[in-house]
Amino acid sequence: MKTNKGYIILGLMIALTLFFELAAHAEPMDRSTKLTFSEPIQIPGEVLPAGTYLFRLADDDSGQHVVQIFNADGTVPYATVLTISTERPYPTGDTAVTLAEQGTGNPDALLKWFYPGRLTGNEFLYSKHKEKEFAQDKQQTIVADQRKGPNAEIAGAGDSVRGLGIRSAAPFDKAAAKLEILSQGPGFP
């Protein structure tokens, strides 16, 4: 009887250890963010018109990073694009995107998307020719600020924009006015 209790206790300890180990390393299943662009935005292979889009990291067992882009409610797919991992120096508690300003007459290009709280993000894959062009363009990372209200005023470098709950990680630029990050994460609070 004493031996059986010992095995039961050992089995429970192993089960609890495994349970807490898995829980500690669990990641959100649905990494998605709603982004609103007030101007057209270039993604690999196409240009999205101004509007609200749902960006979702596809659950892919192959190890590739695949981002799916849907309409605002996630019912109509617009694009599925390959990405590679990219790092940033520090995580933020909010979604961040990097845009390349391509100049007059061309839409800005979406280069990177970082999910809240993560050092590793997704860098969109463009042709070598486009990547060389983007290297010459001005790039800006925009970080969402979910704590600001819908009528918040964001100011910097003498400019202000009303109605966008975003702040720029770099000095404020007109690119920040082109993007509004509506919600992020599972269930979209």
Side-chain angles (χ1 to χ4, degrees), residues 117-147:
R118 299 187 54 91
L119 285 172
T120 304
N122 299 284
E123 182 175 344
F124 293 88
L125 295 176
Y126 289 90
S127 69
K128 294 290 182 195
H129 175 71
K130 277 289 189 190
E131 286 182 7
K132 286 180 184 177
E133 287 179 14
F134 296 152
Q136 304 300 316
D137 294 336
K138 180 179 178 186
Q139 296 184 11
Q140 181 177 15
T141 299
I142 301 169
V143 179
D145 188 351
Q146 296 292 314
R147 294 171 296 281

Side-chain angles (χ1 to χ4, degrees), residues 162-174:
R162 295 195 61 78
L164 298 182
I166 59 175
R167 62 181 153 74
S168 173
F172 185 81
D173 197 299
K174 300 292 184 211

Side-chain angles (χ1 to χ4, degrees), residues 69-71 73-78:
I69 303 170
F70 296 90
N71 65 340
D73 60 6
T75 57
V76 178
Y78 288 121

Side-chain angles (χ1 to χ4, degrees), residues 45-62:
E46 67 181 285
V47 175
L48 297 173
T52 300
Y53 300 93
L54 175 68
F55 283 67
R56 180 179 296 147
L57 187 62
D59 184 23
D60 188 20
D61 294 331
S62 70

